[in-house]
Amino acid sequence: VWEDTVTMGKIRDHMSRDHARLDALLRRSVADPARIDRAAFQEFRAGLLRHIGMEEKLLFPAAARAAGGTPLPLAERLRADHGRLAALLVPTPTHALAAQIAELLATHNALEEGEEGVYAQCERLAADQIDEIVARLAAAPAVRTAPHRDP
Ligand SMILES: [Fe+2]
């Protein structure tokens, strides 16, 4: 029981902190209504793509393996959101695009962060590997981004 109380919550904390960091970068990138802070947006973009990779390549597969190969119930929905987010990161950023990204992230992140959210599900499934998973998440490499492409 002691071990549970110190370990449970670590994935949720780690990933939720990354969400908060990314939210702050996105807010900073659009703080001036007259221009986009391109440096802040670039840090947000690279960070969000890394975060998505951490979930798709590391966290969700680890949870599915722990569940005997059964994907998380929300895996498909989350993957679809990730695809939409990645697509919104392709064009040169505008305030309108950033608003769409923020709106999508608000519902998406809530599915992951809650008491019964996906991160908590992952911790319950892979309860004996939480520390190892957090270490691998923390060590996930930075993502190299492609230049923006406009239609
Ligand atoms: Fe996600």
Side-chain angles (χ1 to χ4, degrees), residues 2-3 10 15 25 36 38 49-50 60 65 68-69 75 87 92 100 102 105-107 117 122 126 138:
W2 164 244
E3 189 154 351
K10 279 189 180 175
M15 297 301 279
L25 284 168
I36 300 286
R38 292 293 290 263
L49 292 171
R50 174 175 179 268
F60 299 165
R65 271 197 306 278
T92 304
Q100 280 186 61
L105 279 178
T107 43
C122 290

Side-chain angles (χ1 to χ4, degrees), residues 17-146:
R17 262 203 302 278
D18 204 34
H19 282 166
R21 183 183 73 88
L22 294 169
D23 286 347
L25 284 168
L26 182 58
R27 274 197 305 275
R28 177 142 60 87
S29 69
V30 295
D32 182 346
R35 55 177 282 277
I36 300 286
D37 180 336
R38 292 293 290 263
F41 191 86
Q42 178 52 30
E43 201 179 334
F44 165 77
R45 182 181 187 238
L48 181 56
L49 292 171
R50 174 175 179 268
H51 184 96
I52 288 172
M54 285 154 69
E55 293 178 356
E56 297 277 352
K57 293 185 190 143
L58 229 148
L59 180 58
F60 299 165
R65 271 197 306 278
T70 310
L72 295 164
L74 275 174
E76 215 166 307
R77 158 74 200 271
L78 298 175
R79 190 170 309 118
D81 284 352
H82 290 160
R84 289 173 61 205
L85 287 165
L88 288 168
L89 293 172
V90 173
T92 304
T94 63
H95 286 78
L97 276 170
Q100 280 186 61
I101 294 169
E103 195 184 323
L104 185 47
L105 279 178
T107 43
H108 179 86
N109 292 353
L111 292 175
E112 296 177 339
E113 288 182 13
E115 201 69 50
E116 299 298 318
V118 171
Y119 298 150
Q121 287 171 26
C122 290
E123 290 179 339
R124 282 196 291 271
L125 286 166
D128 55 340
Q129 304 161 49
I130 288 177
D131 284 327
E132 180 202 323
I133 290 172
V134 170
R136 288 170 61 208
L137 290 170
V143 164
R144 286 183 51 178
T145 55

